[in-house]
Amino acid sequence: WEGTDFPWTAELDNKLKSVFKLNELRSMQRQTMNATLAKEDCLLIMPTGGGKSLCFQLPAVISKGLTLVISPLVSLMEDQQMALELLKIPSAIFTSATSKEEAKHIQEDMVTTKGHLKLLYVTPEKLAKSKRFMNRLEKSYAVNHLTRIVIDEVHCCSQWGHDFRPDYKFLGILKRQFPNAPILGLTATATINVLEDVKKILNIPRALLFRASFNRPNLFYEVQEKPATQKDTMDKIFHLINKRFRGQSGIIYCFSRKDSEEVATDLKSRGIKAGCYHADMTAQSRSAVHRKWLSGDVQVVVATVAFGMGIDKPDVRFVIHHSISKSIENLYQESGRAGRDGQRSDCIVLYRLADVTRQSSMVFTEQTGLPNLYGIVQYCIDVAKCRRSLIARHFGEVWESAQCDKMCDHCDRAQCQVKVKDVTHYCKDLVSILDAAAATQQRVTSAKLLDAWYGRGPAGVKVKSIAAPSLAKDQAERILAQLLVEGYLREDFHFTAYSTICYIIPGPKAKLLRNGGVKVAIDFVQACDQS
Ligand code: ADP
């Protein structure tokens, strides 16, 4: 589809320059525009900031009739409308907040072939809940005026994705009602499961897939060990903000609302201009923080994942994850808010085993919750591979370490020696402790298991023949995490009135360790020359 000999090619290239004032197209833009102009249903998967909007705005300008754009957030629509106004492209937003007069105007414009609107933005709620609006669309379609349907953030259809929205499920009706209007779905979510689900829900089984690379060469990916106490963790974060990112704009993502408040309060007490952002705050105070951050009055937003879609600040220099996010997908999206201006920006995860349990207790009820979580644990504990290549693998792409160009902590410490260590006997010991616990009807959490391993903790889970490992605590935790991720151990969840407790039990592959049928090795960083 990258051809330049379509009937519309000359006009497309012409309007790119004269209307959008751009010189050339980016990867996958031409392909997507050609396909949608040829009336094919398509899905465009492109990372945030890649230039998805142009892929429907330019076709809208050179097509007859109206392009309907379904978008989840009014703020996103407003940003786009403002940009379109500057380019003198007629567009409108139709929501429940639209005035009666304006609504009448829009609805008239929709059903006449002389309509002047090129793009009409609506929320999925509008389609799902307003019969009148649906009727108007049917009339528009009947007079051949509804040319194309664009669904922004199309992954919101799927419960498998990270941002499911119930009203998106309703959008399956569009292909049935308007079979000749091509659908163009846009997303930055690239997981195959999600995309297949989206095609099903939208009734576009044969939709063409266009994928732009997800590599963000200007983002530096890094994982640091999170200290055991909150005080030490805050010292570390303060040091980063005060030294490495002094005066620069950034985001800190936290696991819970409570965490985000505590972190923000702590930073403020140390003189950092920090603001908190989570779903328990009023819309007003949230938007106040957002605004202050945009204007530079707030340096750091400390947020839950509620601080997400629609964030479009170009000079975010760092994103720090105070706790691991729940999947590589989430990590990619959240850290992807850094460096939209193309300048180097840093994405740091503070990793500690205790946070894995906190996350797993939240996500284990979701169908893909644990595998997604273990994917990011793997990302955090693997010291022998380029972080960039690990993210690439998740998106079904291959980015070589060479392509990373020292833009992750692994590739940057190329001088470091990574040594492979056989830890099979340690793994056996862990399983023996769990077997001893089971024999005396005891259950252990990961913290208790580690204690028992070091010879502390309750009798019954103490096994005489086992010596305390000659390993630093973080290395012991690494082994435990790796055994979980690889299925030698398993997390077992129990509900109490107040919380979910997560115990560690032998996993499906534990017998391989008991009968000596497997060797387990772990990579350790031995010596480091950061110069
Ligand atoms: P997305 O929706 O994929 O996150 P946008 O559509 O908002 O990204 O585009 C991000 C930025 O890239 C915008 O400022 C847009 O003007 C710019 N852009 C898009 N396509 C091109 C292009 N071909 N050349 C230069 N800039 C572009």
Side-chain angles (χ1 to χ4, degrees):
W1 288 96
E2 65 266 59
T4 49
D5 48 0
F6 289 96
W8 50 77
T9 296
E11 199 184 1
L12 195 153
D13 288 340
N14 182 348
K15 291 283 195 287
L16 176 71
K17 295 192 173 74
S18 65
V19 176
F20 290 89
K21 322 274 187 250
L22 295 173
N23 292 321
E24 55 192 347
L25 291 171
R26 291 181 182 161
S27 162
M28 288 304 146
Q29 286 183 324
R30 186 179 295 278
Q31 286 88 327
T32 309
M33 292 196 251
N34 282 340
T36 190
L37 285 162
K39 293 190 153 245
E40 298 282 348
D41 295 324
C42 358
L43 295 179
L44 170 62
I45 303 116
M46 193 181 253
T48 306
K52 288 186 280 298
S53 320
L54 188 71
C55 297
F56 64 85
Q57 290 174 345
L58 180 44
V61 167
I62 66 173
S63 299
K64 281 207 187 88
L66 181 69
T67 296
L68 179 73
V69 186
I70 297 146
S71 172
L73 289 183
V74 177
S75 63
L76 288 181
M77 300 182 202
E78 286 170 350
D79 289 349
Q80 295 214 356
Q81 196 193 22
M82 244 162 26
L84 289 168
E85 226 163 75
L86 290 176
L87 302 175
K88 305 204 163 50
I89 301 168
S91 69
I93 302 177
F94 195 12
T95 67
S96 45
T98 306
S99 73
K100 267 212 171 116
E101 201 179 339
E102 169 80 357
K104 190 163 161 252
H105 200 71
I106 293 172
Q107 291 184 325
E108 277 167 11
D109 196 286
M110 283 170 73
V111 294
T112 152
T113 45
K114 295 199 188 71
H116 80 291
L117 282 180
K118 288 274 108 197
L119 295 128
L120 177 61
Y121 288 84
V122 299
T123 56
E125 290 79 10
K126 185 91 204 161
L127 280 173
K129 303 212 169 92
S130 166
K131 272 228 170 77
R132 262 178 75 111
F133 183 72
M134 208 56 199
N135 283 338
R136 279 282 144 172
L137 268 187
E138 276 158 21
K139 280 196 186 128
S140 187
Y141 183 75
V143 296
N144 281 328
H145 191 55
L146 179 61
T147 308
R148 180 169 299 109
I149 300 173
V150 176
I151 306 176
D152 202 3
E153 311 285 356
V154 74
H155 61 277
C156 294
C157 295
S158 169
Q159 262 162 321
W160 294 69
H162 53 87
D163 225 346
F164 173 63
R165 301 197 165 212
D167 280 313
Y168 264 78
K169 282 215 125 156
F170 173 83
L171 300 180
I173 194 174
L174 292 171
K175 193 78 241 176
R176 265 179 257 131
Q177 299 286 86
F178 314 118
N180 293 326
I183 289 185
L184 169 57
L186 310 172
T187 180
T189 298
T191 328
I192 281 295
N193 289 340
V194 174
L195 297 174
E196 286 304 315
D197 203 28
V198 164
K199 284 202 263 177
K200 238 183 256 159
I201 289 165
L202 293 179
N203 297 308
I204 48 170
R206 276 178 294 279
L208 303 171
L209 283 190
F210 294 102
R211 268 174 197 274
S213 173
F214 273 64
N215 191 8
R216 298 272 309 271
N218 62 315
L219 298 189
F220 185 89
Y221 295 102
E222 176 175 356
V223 178
Q224 293 196 14
E225 194 194 332
K226 183 176 178 176
T229 68
Q230 176 66 1
K231 157 104 187 18
D232 292 347
T233 306
M234 287 314 304
D235 286 349
K236 184 168 214 159
I237 293 177
F238 174 71
H239 191 79
L240 284 169
I241 298 177
N242 200 36
K243 292 272 170 1
R244 185 157 148 194
F245 306 121
R246 195 178 184 91
Q248 296 178 340
S249 186
I251 308 173
I252 300 176
Y253 276 109
C254 295
F255 171 72
S256 66
R257 296 161 197 184
K258 190 161 155 279
D259 280 7
S260 65
E261 275 166 10
E262 281 172 10
V263 171
T265 307
D266 185 293
L267 288 177
K268 277 191 256 181
S269 77
R270 298 178 194 234
I272 303 277
K273 290 187 198 152
C276 192
Y277 189 109
H278 58 66
D280 267 356
M281 293 158 56
T282 62
Q284 240 169 355
S285 34
R286 269 182 305 185
S287 98
V289 171
H290 191 181
R291 246 182 298 117
K292 283 188 194 156
W293 182 64
L294 288 175
S295 70
D297 287 340
V298 159
Q299 184 194 353
V300 191
V301 176
V302 187
T304 61
V305 290
F307 193 56
M309 250 190 245
I311 297 172
D312 193 7
K313 187 169 167 36
D315 60 345
V316 178
R317 289 281 78 86
F318 64 93
V319 171
I320 297 174
H321 278 83
H322 174 264
S323 296
I324 53 166
S325 39
K326 59 182 199 166
S327 65
I328 289 198
E329 183 82 46
N330 280 71
L331 173 76
Y332 179 84
Q333 295 293 346
E334 285 149 21
S335 23
R337 291 178 184 125
R340 293 189 68 155
D341 57 4
Q343 301 294 313
R344 174 185 164 131
S345 309
D346 293 36
C347 310
I348 304 175
V349 181
L350 300 181
Y351 168 80
R352 172 147 218 111
L353 181 65
D355 287 335
V356 176
T357 319
R358 286 216 287 172
Q359 277 286 9
S360 61
S361 307
M362 294 294 292
V363 302
F364 77 98
T365 52
E366 294 166 27
Q367 202 168 9
T368 55
L370 284 182
N372 280 346
L373 177 63
Y374 291 166
I376 185 153
V377 173
Q378 189 91 67
Y379 169 89
C380 291
I381 65 178
D382 195 336
V383 294
K385 292 201 190 75
C386 163
R387 307 255 183 229
R388 195 166 241 90
S389 71
L390 290 170
I391 297 176
R393 199 169 60 185
H394 176 80
F395 291 122
E397 292 181 47
V398 180
W399 312 334
E400 310 282 344
S401 301
Q403 227 173 319
C404 182
D405 197 16
K406 299 194 172 177
M407 283 298 281
C408 79
D409 51 358
H410 173 266
C411 297
D412 193 36
R413 60 172 137 72
Q415 309 298 328
C416 278
Q417 290 181 342
V418 173
K419 282 253 163 66
V420 186
K421 192 162 174 170
D422 184 333
V423 292
T424 313
H425 62 294
Y426 286 139
C427 301
K428 262 190 183 153
D429 287 353
L430 280 172
V431 173
S432 302
I433 295 171
L434 292 177
D435 288 342
T440 53
Q441 263 97 51
Q442 298 195 61
R443 288 195 287 238
V444 291
T445 60
S446 58
K448 285 241 174 78
L449 175 58
L450 288 167
D451 274 351
W453 196 12
Y454 280 96
R456 298 184 293 263
V461 294
K462 275 199 195 127
V463 180
K464 282 217 183 73
S465 58
I466 292 176
S470 52
L471 292 171
K473 183 100 189 277
D474 64 304
Q475 297 189 334
E477 286 193 3
R478 279 255 326 273
I479 294 176
L480 180 46
Q482 182 153 334
L483 291 181
L484 279 174
V485 166
E486 293 183 1
Y488 293 102
L489 303 181
R490 189 161 80 73
E491 290 178 285
D492 187 30
F493 301 93
H494 289 258
F495 297 104
T496 72
Y498 305 104
S499 60
T500 306
I501 303 183
C502 167
Y503 296 112
I504 307 292
I505 59 173
K509 283 164 67 181
K511 61 175 177 296
L512 289 174
L513 283 171
R514 287 192 197 101
N515 65 21
V518 72
K519 277 201 181 313
V520 184
I522 273 194
D523 302 306
F524 287 111
V525 177
Q526 292 280 314
C528 210
D529 177 3
Q530 293 277 10
S531 64

